[in-house]
Amino acid sequence: KRQVEVDSDNKKGNTALVSTLKGEGVAVVKTSMSTKDIVEKDAGICAELQRVLMKKDTYPSIWKKS
């Protein structure tokens, strides 16, 4: 089960922090949807990456490489 938390007052174009469940900063993003749009969608791109904060290989990859 995946857990996602979104600030209730997020607006399109805001700068936001993507973090782990432990509160570790993963990346800084610029939102491309408001909170309302994010909650209503099942899939899609909700943010544009601005900067990665977490070092590579901090956690093992869970995505399959093709």
Side-chain angles (χ1 to χ4, degrees), residues 14-40:
N14 281 2
T15 299
L17 175 69
V18 176
S19 59
T20 67
L21 294 175
K22 294 180 183 178
E24 302 161 308
V26 176
V28 176
V29 298
K30 181 171 262 188
T31 59
S32 53
M33 293 183 190
S34 67
T35 297
K36 181 178 180 275
D37 293 336
I38 292 170
V39 170
E40 290 175 353

Side-chain angles (χ1 to χ4, degrees), residues 37-59:
D37 293 336
I38 292 170
V39 170
E40 290 175 353
K41 306 259 186 216
D42 289 331
I45 298 172
C46 63
E48 178 184 324
L49 180 65
Q50 299 293 302
R51 178 176 295 271
V52 175
L53 303 173
M54 187 168 278
K55 291 180 182 178
K56 185 178 179 179
D57 298 324
T58 300
Y59 290 100

